[in-house]
Amino acid sequence: MHFIVPEIEAYAEAHTSPEPSLLKRLNRQTHVKILHPRMLSGHFQGRMLSMISWMIRPRVVLEIGTYTGYSALCFAEGLAEGGKVITIDIKAELEPFVREFLNESDYKDQIDYRIGNAREVIPTLDETFDLVFIDADKPSYATYYDLTIDRVRSGGWIIADNVLWSGKVAQAGAKVDKDTQCLLDFNARVQQDDRVENVLLPIRDGLMVVRKK
């Protein structure tokens, strides 16, 4: 679900820089070949993630939930010199598709793509993170936040995707399913965390942007 009227959204996208050609092809091939293509960040959100990366110029980005690699490539665009994106996904069946596109990109040597359970992989990492992007299983959002917040540098960032969950988090009186409740709890947890400042942006399915103080 999108939370901006279609005409405004179309105008905004028309006045947003186009996707690089590789990302445009990745976008198209994801829709043709991969289940649940709605999970892809896509043109407008992807350019937003790239812009955030350019603003921050991170040295280390941790992405939890690679899917087909679109957002990892967006974050890689703004890396500081010598920087890297560590991206983790549990779905081994997507690896050949993802690696094909990563290997074609200008950032193939800067993206460390790992297959595994992020709950197990994150504790093995030695890095301090400048930016963490959470876009994986919704019941684990709070766990991923807890696993990373102390590893994010002061002034660093966490961004969580899908925090509006097709608007279900704001449907007063509606029956709340498990995933919606997990996101309600996550959003409340961030809002109440005095270690951070946060803004919830109604871009696509909602981006929670968090800055560690």
Side-chain angles (χ1 to χ4, degrees):
M1 178 179 289
H2 298 215
F3 299 96
I4 304 172
V5 295
E7 296 82 2
I8 295 297
E9 184 172 53
Y11 186 85
E13 187 160 329
H15 291 80
T16 296
S17 297
E19 302 164 288
S21 58
L22 180 67
L23 286 181
K24 187 173 183 178
R25 185 155 54 87
L26 174 55
N27 194 338
R28 184 167 57 246
Q29 289 299 307
T30 298
H31 279 80
V32 169
K33 297 180 177 180
I34 307 297
L35 290 173
H36 311 300
R38 184 175 176 273
M39 292 169 59
L40 188 91
S41 288
H43 171 209
F44 184 56
Q45 181 172 305
R47 290 303 84 203
M48 183 66 191
L49 298 179
S50 172
M51 186 72 75
I52 289 172
S53 186
W54 277 109
M55 291 175 179
I56 297 170
R57 300 310 308 271
R59 291 193 58 81
V60 181
V61 176
L62 173 65
E63 177 182 61
I64 305 168
T66 310
Y67 188 47
T68 57
Y70 191 99
S71 50
L73 288 165
C74 291
F75 284 121
E77 293 175 20
L79 288 171
E81 185 175 353
K84 64 179 177 179
V85 176
I86 303 168
T87 183
I88 307 166
D89 203 287
I90 202 166
K91 295 178 180 176
E93 65 272 18
L94 291 179
E95 183 175 6
F97 180 91
V98 175
R99 289 206 183 276
E100 177 184 346
F101 281 91
L102 295 185
N103 288 337
E104 285 188 51
S105 80
D106 293 336
Y107 310 107
K108 63 181 180 180
D109 296 327
Q110 295 168 277
I111 298 178
D112 179 357
Y113 172 41
R114 305 189 185 199
I115 300 296
N117 187 324
R119 292 169 176 255
E120 299 169 359
V121 175
I122 292 169
T124 71
L125 302 174
D126 295 330
E127 288 84 359
T128 297
F129 310 124
D130 300 294
L131 172 61
V132 174
F133 186 53
I134 302 174
D135 188 15
D137 57 307
K138 309 315 163 193
S140 296
Y141 267 37
T143 299
Y144 298 142
Y145 185 81
D146 288 342
L147 283 171
T148 57
I149 185 66
D150 291 334
R151 306 273 301 279
V152 174
R153 65 169 173 81
S154 295
W157 304 81
I158 296 176
I159 303 174
D161 199 5
N162 306 118
V163 294
L164 291 177
W165 205 230
S166 299
K168 293 179 183 179
V169 295
Q171 292 176 355
K175 185 177 179 180
V176 176
D177 59 57
K178 180 181 177 182
D179 284 348
T180 303
Q181 188 60 56
C182 289
L183 288 166
L184 284 166
D185 293 343
F186 172 77
N187 291 339
R189 183 181 194 141
V190 171
Q191 182 70 19
Q192 295 161 10
D193 189 347
D194 60 10
R195 297 172 295 177
V196 305
E197 295 177 336
N198 54 287
V199 177
L200 200 165
L201 299 176
I203 293 175
R204 286 191 76 238
D205 202 23
L207 291 175
M208 179 68 84
V209 180
V210 179
R211 185 185 72 86
K212 184 176 176 180
K213 295 178 183 176

